[in-house]
Amino acid sequence: TIQSQLIAIALLLISIYPFSVVPSDRLGDRSFAEIAEIHLTSGLISTIIFFSVLWIVAKPLNKQDKYWRTLTMCSYTSLAQFPFSLPLLVMVFTHMHTWNEIYPLMVVIMFYQLAMGAFAITISMGLPWQLAGGIAILSMFIDQTTQDMVFRFFGIFSKSLI
């Protein structure tokens, strides 16, 4: 699982790099190191919160023995989801398309990623798909709230991406 976490961090840094190249009102004149720090902090905090919530769900259901397998499966599932969003992000950062043109497709990909997360939790923990879907949606809320809090902490208040 350490290897999958290192790969996920490497992919995160690769996906963050365009933010340092393309000027953005949201990020200002920040360097790549600052942008990486912001996103890594957000990712680390949301991961800790999500896996804590997953443990809180697993404990009363007596699924603690399947917890580590679920962590590993969630890590590999997130790696499998990365190639779906990367081409769209590249199109935005290279100015082939605007964010407004790409956004509807990103919503579809987000739903696909939520379904994959729910599937991973259902298969690895043996939970009903409804509960796993709720946990996947909860992960989306955790990610967005954590990102908003970390961005505010670093003084980034605008909601526009590019």
Side-chain angles (χ1 to χ4, degrees):
T1 61
I2 292 175
Q3 295 153 338
S4 66
Q5 295 298 330
L6 291 176
I7 292 170
I9 290 171
L11 290 176
L12 177 65
L13 291 175
I14 290 169
S15 66
I16 292 170
Y17 178 73
F19 283 108
S20 65
V21 177
V22 177
S24 172
D25 295 336
R26 183 177 186 185
L27 300 172
D29 295 330
R30 297 183 187 274
S31 67
F32 177 72
E34 289 174 311
I35 295 168
E37 178 186 5
I38 291 167
H39 284 279
L40 286 174
T41 303
S42 174
L44 181 66
I45 292 170
S46 66
T47 300
I48 290 170
I49 293 171
F50 173 69
F51 288 149
S52 299
V53 167
L54 198 57
W55 177 259
I56 291 168
V57 170
K59 191 164 175 91
L61 297 173
N62 294 324
K63 302 285 186 178
Q64 299 98 323
D65 57 330
K66 298 179 180 179
Y67 178 74
W68 295 107
R69 183 174 68 173
T70 303
L71 294 185
T72 303
M73 192 162 179
C74 285
S75 296
Y76 283 114
T77 303
S78 67
L79 293 177
Q81 295 166 356
F82 180 75
F84 289 101
S85 57
L86 184 63
L88 300 175
L89 293 174
V90 168
M91 283 189 252
V92 170
F93 291 128
T94 58
H95 299 291
M96 292 172 61
H97 295 283
T98 65
W99 180 250
N100 291 334
E101 294 170 345
I102 296 293
Y103 186 75
L105 192 53
M106 287 297 286
V107 170
V108 170
I109 289 177
M110 180 194 66
F111 283 128
Y112 169 76
Q113 292 173 341
L114 285 173
M116 287 294 294
F119 174 76
I121 293 169
T122 298
I123 295 301
S124 61
M125 289 190 89
L127 297 177
W129 66 268
Q130 297 93 337
L131 180 58
I135 293 170
I137 291 171
L138 182 64
S139 75
M140 179 182 64
F141 293 137
I142 290 170
D143 286 342
Q144 189 60 49
T145 303
T146 305
Q147 186 180 39
D148 289 346
M149 289 182 350
V150 169
F151 274 37
R152 287 196 183 274
F153 178 78
F154 282 96
I156 303 170
F157 299 106
S158 174
K159 284 291 190 182
S160 66
L161 246 184
I162 295 176

